[in-house]
Amino acid sequence: DTEVTQTPKHLVMGMTNKKSLKCEQHMGHRAMYWYKQKAKKPPELMFVYSYEKLSINESVPSRFSPECPNSSLLNLHLHALQPEDSALYLCASSTPRTETQYFGPGTRLLVL
Amino acid sequence: SQQGEEDPQALSIQEGENATMNCSYKTSINNLQWYRQNSGRGLVHLILIRSNEREKHSGRLRVTLDTSKKSSSLLITASRAADTASYFCASIPTDKLIFGTGTRLQVFP
């Protein structure tokens, strides 16, 4: 299984809502990533988990809260988001020392 | 922060033609990768070229790397409508993957 899955595919939320994005992989990868991508821009790294521990936080606002419950799952908890947070959120995984990353299809988020 | 600048930003060609896109990067790298993204979907890894390699092929893809000029190029030969996508170069200058600005390729049937 060489697939990274993400749910939901689309999400619309208000600025006072709490929601979560979910990412799952069964490739045995021990590094997992969250990226944010705005239209016509490259993906920008948000968080990196290595062996279920947060290793990189790219100064992301606290309204984004990542969680890695086990080696296959990665969540991104969202609370009190702003309209400018609307974007495509991509999850990826890799082996910690391999440069190639495998991406999920993304969650398209709209904050109203 | 972006590690790579790509040109052109957009490219339109007919099926059967070749498409060339270029990437320039800022700092020393161990390798450079190319990814494809179809219309707002996830990215797919295409090819990785190491710093000690000058050229690499994979099917209809040919990648070159010139470390002295800090540049790379991706050539897609005999393009197809299905090649329509955005293409990003990417490298790991320190401890994380950083993408270039991307080239949007449109292949007309």
Side-chain angles (χ1 to χ4, degrees), chain B residues 58-105:
Chain B
S58 177
R60 293 184 297 112
L61 305 180
R62 172 179 167 256
V63 170
T64 62
L65 180 65
D66 186 334
T67 54
S68 67
K69 295 181 180 178
K70 291 187 169 58
S71 68
S72 175
S73 68
L74 171 68
L75 168 67
I76 303 174
T77 60
S79 63
R80 304 165 182 169
D83 295 327
T84 294
S86 291
Y87 293 81
F88 295 95
C89 63
S91 62
I92 305 178
T94 54
D95 57 354
K96 57 194 178 188
L97 191 64
I98 298 181
F99 290 88
T101 51
T103 293
R104 294 189 303 281
L105 174 65

Side-chain angles (χ1 to χ4, degrees), chain A residues 1-5 23-33 49-52 68 70-73 92-98 100 102:
Chain A
D1 185 358
T2 58
E3 189 179 354
V4 177
T5 59
C23 173
E24 192 166 5
Q25 57 88 15
H26 295 287
M27 294 179 278
H29 291 167
R30 302 307 296 274
M32 297 185 76
Y33 312 80
Y49 273 83
S50 181
Y51 294 95
E52 295 91 70
C68 190
N70 59 56
S71 60
S72 300
L73 282 174
S93 70
S94 71
T95 57
R97 302 224 179 268
T98 300
T100 299
Y102 293 81

Side-chain angles (χ1 to χ4, degrees), chain A residues 22-91:
Chain A
K22 179 181 173 182
C23 173
E24 192 166 5
Q25 57 88 15
H26 295 287
M27 294 179 278
H29 291 167
R30 302 307 296 274
M32 297 185 76
Y33 312 80
W34 280 115
Y35 289 86
K36 174 182 177 180
Q37 186 180 25
K38 302 285 273 187
K40 297 185 179 181
K41 297 289 186 183
E44 292 186 348
L45 183 66
M46 300 174 72
F47 303 103
V48 180
Y49 273 83
S50 181
Y51 294 95
E52 295 91 70
K53 288 187 172 18
L54 184 64
S55 61
I56 295 178
N57 176 342
E58 288 291 298
S59 302
V60 178
S62 60
R63 56 185 185 269
F64 295 91
S65 175
E67 179 196 20
C68 190
N70 59 56
S71 60
S72 300
L73 282 174
L74 186 66
N75 298 320
L76 186 62
H77 303 296
L78 314 173
H79 173 54
L81 294 192
Q82 303 297 309
E84 59 264 28
D85 296 321
S86 298
L88 181 67
Y89 288 84
L90 294 161
C91 173

